[in-house]
């Protein structure tokens, strides 16, 4: 079995062209992203969602956001196209991309994704498939997060971010768990006010929303339980690459001097 292992930070300065099969995604997804700014797909055939559930139970609480649980890791493709986990680096978002008081212009430190999760073959193929979709090359840092909310009362999954961009060119959101949840409606819009709406709908577990993050805005509504006598939870994977946020790129360059960044 292929494994996703740690690597040192002196990655090659020049990305190597990687040949990849295009069979992970339907041709429709490529066509929609080529002609527009987003695409919705289903990954039930490619990933084993029930086998991913135990990893949700072991997520630590987000130290910055109440009622949220989270892990994150920085990854990249090596010269053969295989994903490797980079050493630790914090997450950073400038206020221009994240104006929530608890997160804007701050370095945020999270526990890494579990090694056993990253070593799963369906997770490895998902990372490779995602990188192939956007033509991500070797040496480009990829941020992969598992986060979500659980509780018994009204919760804002974005904790004040509202309609926003994440500060990258390419972003995808995969729903991996949705139990006893009302709300959690995903929104895409051409404007930050949400008046030029593109999409509004509830993503089911296994559905993934691909977004050109530098072109459109996204958001998700608050969640409440259908049955108020029972707890609810909703967890997602967020994966993105090629960052436009100078703050994040500066922190990446400090930690990984040789990586390939989207800099001007």
């Amino acid at each position: 079995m292929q494994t996703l292992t740690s690597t040192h930070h002196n990655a090659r300065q020049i990305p190597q062209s990687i040949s990849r099969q295009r069979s992970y995604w339907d041709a429709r997804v490529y066509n929609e992203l080529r002609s527009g700014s987003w695409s919705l797909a289903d990954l039930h055939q490619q990933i084993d969602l029930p086998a991913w559930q135990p990893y949700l139970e072991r997520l630590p609480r987000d130290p910055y956001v109440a009622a949220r649980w989270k892990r994150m890791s920085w990854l990249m493709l090596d010269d053969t196209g295989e994903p490797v986990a980079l050493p630790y680096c914090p997450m950073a978002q400038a206020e221009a991309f994240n104006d929530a008081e608890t997160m804007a212009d701050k370095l945020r430190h999270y526990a890494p994704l579990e090694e056993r999760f990253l070593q799963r073959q369906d997770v490895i193929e998902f990372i490779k498939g995602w990188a192939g979709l956007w033509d991500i090359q070797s040496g480009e840092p990829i941020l992969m997060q598992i986060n979500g909310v659980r509780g018994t009362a009204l919760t804002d999954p974005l904790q004040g971010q509202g309609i926003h961009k994440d500060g990258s060119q390419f972003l995808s959101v995969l729903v991996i768990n949705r139990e006893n949840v009302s709300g959690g409606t995903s929104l895409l819009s051409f404007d930050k006010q949400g008046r030029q709406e593109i999409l509004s709908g509830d993503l089911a577990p296994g559905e993934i929303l691909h977004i050109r993050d530098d072109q459109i805005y996204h958001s998700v509504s608050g969640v409440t339980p259908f049955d108020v006598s029972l707890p609810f939870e909703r967890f997602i994977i967020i994966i993105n690459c090629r960052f436009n946020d100078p703050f994040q790129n500066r922190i990446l360059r400090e930690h990984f001097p040789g990586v390939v960044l989207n800099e001007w």
Side-chain angles (χ1 to χ4, degrees):
M1 175 180 292
Q2 301 168 12
T3 60
L4 199 158
T5 56
S6 295
T7 185
H8 52 77
H9 60 239
N10 58 344
R12 297 174 65 92
Q13 287 280 6
I14 301 174
Q16 302 297 303
S17 180
I18 298 170
S19 175
R20 307 188 190 96
Q21 295 182 351
R22 295 169 61 90
S23 58
Y24 195 86
W25 310 99
D26 291 340
R28 170 189 60 80
V29 176
Y30 290 94
N31 292 336
E32 289 175 350
L33 291 175
R34 187 162 46 242
S35 62
S37 302
W38 66 279
S39 181
L40 179 64
D42 189 297
L43 286 184
H44 276 97
Q45 298 302 312
Q46 290 97 325
I47 59 178
D48 184 353
L49 279 180
W52 290 17
Q53 300 311 304
Y55 298 99
L56 304 181
E57 299 169 6
R58 294 193 293 270
L59 287 173
R61 292 189 75 116
D62 187 317
Y64 309 97
V65 177
R68 190 165 76 176
W69 284 253
K70 180 169 177 171
R71 289 182 183 270
M72 56 151 272
S73 288
W74 291 98
L75 317 168
M76 74 173 191
L77 302 180
D78 65 18
D79 288 346
T80 69
E82 293 300 312
V84 294
L86 290 165
Y88 179 77
C89 175
M91 185 177 180
Q93 285 181 308
E95 185 177 5
F97 297 100
N98 184 344
D99 55 10
E101 183 179 349
T102 58
M103 295 177 274
D105 293 324
K106 292 180 174 64
L107 293 182
R108 287 142 59 197
H109 302 269
Y110 300 101
L113 298 172
E114 290 188 61
E115 186 175 354
R116 285 194 299 173
F117 177 74
L118 291 174
Q119 289 175 344
R120 288 187 53 86
Q121 193 64 37
D122 57 351
V123 174
I124 292 172
E125 294 303 321
F126 167 70
I127 297 167
K128 292 166 63 175
W130 186 85
L133 176 66
W134 299 111
D135 197 28
I136 303 304
Q137 298 299 309
S138 64
E140 294 193 74
I142 299 169
L143 178 61
M144 185 170 175
Q145 311 169 53
I146 299 179
N147 73 50
V149 293
R150 54 166 62 108
T152 58
L154 174 65
T155 302
D156 171 15
L158 297 177
Q159 298 294 303
Q161 291 183 68
I163 301 174
H164 68 289
K165 296 179 180 179
D166 276 18
S168 62
Q169 287 190 4
F170 312 127
L171 178 145
S172 298
V173 178
L174 168 64
V175 175
I176 52 179
N177 191 7
R178 183 183 172 96
E179 295 184 8
N180 191 32
V181 166
S182 174
T185 300
S186 297
L187 170 75
L188 300 183
S189 175
F190 284 118
D191 67 314
K192 188 171 175 57
Q193 294 70 39
R195 290 190 288 264
Q196 301 178 51
E197 184 178 298
I198 302 168
L199 169 75
S200 179
D202 298 345
L203 271 64
E207 290 187 317
I208 185 168
L209 188 59
H210 301 300
I211 304 167
R212 292 192 181 275
D213 184 49
D214 58 343
Q215 297 180 17
I216 60 175
Y217 293 86
H218 63 277
S219 183
V220 62
S221 68
V223 296
T224 56
F226 277 120
D227 185 341
V228 296
S229 68
L230 297 172
F232 69 84
E233 60 181 60
R234 179 183 182 271
F235 285 91
I236 60 174
I237 280 181
I238 303 173
I239 183 169
N240 57 332
C241 187
R242 212 164 289 173
F243 294 88
N244 305 318
D245 186 341
F247 181 29
Q248 182 65 88
N249 278 336
R250 176 170 61 83
I251 299 305
L252 284 166
R253 180 65 72 205
E254 289 176 1
H255 284 74
F256 314 128
V259 294
V260 178
L261 298 177
N262 181 38
E263 296 175 309
W264 294 275

